[in-house]
Amino acid sequence: MGSDFAEYKVLPSLKEAAMASADSICDIVNKNPQAVIFYATGNTYIPVYKNIAEKIKRGEADFSKTYAFHLDEYYPCKTSDPYSFVSYMRKNVFMPFKIKQNNCFEINGDTKNPDEEVKRYRKLINEYPADLVILGIGPGGHIGFNEAGSSKDSRFRLVKCSKETIYRDRVERGQNTPNKAFTMGVADILKGSQILLTAFGKSKRQLMRKTLSGKVNSSCPASYLRLVGKKVTIFLDKDANPFQQTAESHM
Ligand code: GLP
């Protein structure tokens, strides 16, 4: 199963998985200093992005000339809202990675005209083909905010968040999030030259099982990654590993 992917690794701890994920992002930038990268937000990537920021501080990586986009944003959402992905990106990526300001692109969750915002971001996605798309996995196997039911041909659009996502955000995480979001589509994600999926913790285990061994269909949008497995890298910690093996790697 792991051999269907560019790389598939289960690491013994969250710390090691976060480091493996950071290293693989830095490798891409070392090879292509102007890489176009679409970043997931969320808790999973906080330690990953911290590791990258540390490497940049130590002079081991240079992201200044890369192009940075985010995958998704709540709607409506102001930058000052605590759950804003724009503010997450500024705090955890744009600033610590020292990316040139003109190379940083944001989804405007505060727009009065969502259709225009969809057009604007779709145009940007076409103009800047992704060298790397960085993904987490969320309720129902969502990637970005492509909830269960999303088609593999979907493009950047405004969607309704699923009940499970709203439950996670409002009940489990205590955030007063809206029930809509902009998200890069499944087709936009699958077009990326490389795709990285990282998942930590027991709460992701069942989602990873569906992703890796369930049917490839819209009931678990992350399963679509298997359609382009040869460009997908997956890092899990042992708690997120649905197959309970010990640490292993398949190339
Ligand atoms: C969120 C975002 C995704 C993110 C995922 C996992 O809702 N839409 O982009 O990757 O869910 O989040 P977390 O890492 O906090 O579990």
Side-chain angles (χ1 to χ4, degrees), residues 101-157:
Q101 213 176 339
N102 287 347
N103 289 13
C104 297
F105 296 87
E106 297 177 345
I107 300 168
N108 180 8
D110 195 25
T111 181
K112 297 277 169 290
N113 192 336
D115 291 344
E116 275 306 312
E117 186 58 8
V118 167
K119 266 192 216 152
R120 186 186 72 87
Y121 216 72
R122 278 190 183 187
K123 195 161 168 260
L124 284 170
I125 290 171
N126 286 339
E127 280 168 17
Y128 293 88
D131 294 301
L132 172 65
V133 181
I134 299 173
L135 299 175
I137 185 165
H142 78 204
I143 45 177
F145 271 117
N146 293 285
E147 304 284 19
S150 296
S151 130
K152 73 175 192 317
D153 303 318
S154 54
R155 298 192 49 211
F156 186 83
R157 67 203 188 286

Side-chain angles (χ1 to χ4, degrees), residues 39-45 71-74 85 88 134-139 142-147 165 168-169 173 181 183 198 200 203-204:
Y39 291 87
T41 53
N43 297 340
T44 305
Y45 280 97
L71 284 172
D72 48 14
E73 176 60 296
Y74 290 102
F85 289 166
Y88 176 107
I134 299 173
L135 299 175
I137 185 165
H142 78 204
I143 45 177
F145 271 117
N146 293 285
E147 304 284 19
T165 296
R168 178 201 65 176
D169 289 343
R173 296 189 175 175
T183 183
T198 307
F200 307 136
S203 69
K204 302 289 169 88

